[in-house]
Amino acid sequence: MTNVFDELPAAFRDIVVELLGEREPELLGALQKQAKPTLEQQEAVIDVLGDAFTEHLGAGHEPTARGALIDNALGAFLTRWPAEELADH
């Protein structure tokens, strides 16, 4: 069975897994056992990645390289798992 992370582009898997492991290990474990997140889980991922993004802003509130990676990872997650698709179930 594939899990939620298998559906993300390879370039973003590690950062999403890393941040969830540090900040929401129970959520990470659940998503590793599911093929699709719930709407509530999607919102929790948004919170974790959004918080991490704001911690990686540099001068002039521009994202650092890590901040840009986190932002792009969040975009990839939301592209793959849009709220509309999750709300249907």
Side-chain angles (χ1 to χ4, degrees):
M1 176 181 115
T2 61
N3 66 39
V4 169
F5 304 108
D6 294 332
E7 297 290 324
L8 291 177
F12 304 121
R13 283 184 204 137
D14 289 347
I15 191 69
V16 175
V17 169
E18 174 190 332
L19 291 170
L20 291 177
E22 291 172 0
R23 299 165 187 240
E24 289 286 343
E26 288 181 22
L27 176 59
L28 172 63
L31 294 176
Q32 288 173 324
K33 297 174 187 163
Q34 296 170 217
K36 180 178 184 177
T38 66
L39 189 56
E40 181 178 289
Q41 289 169 329
Q42 183 223 44
E43 291 170 0
V45 170
I46 292 169
D47 288 345
V48 167
L49 296 183
D51 288 348
F53 172 76
T54 60
E55 294 168 9
H56 293 281
L57 295 175
H61 296 284
E62 289 296 316
T64 63
R66 184 168 173 87
L69 176 63
I70 293 167
D71 188 46
N72 290 334
L74 178 56
F77 188 91
L78 294 175
T79 297
R80 177 59 191 98
W81 303 112
E84 303 79 41
E85 183 178 324
L86 303 178
D88 293 338
H89 296 80

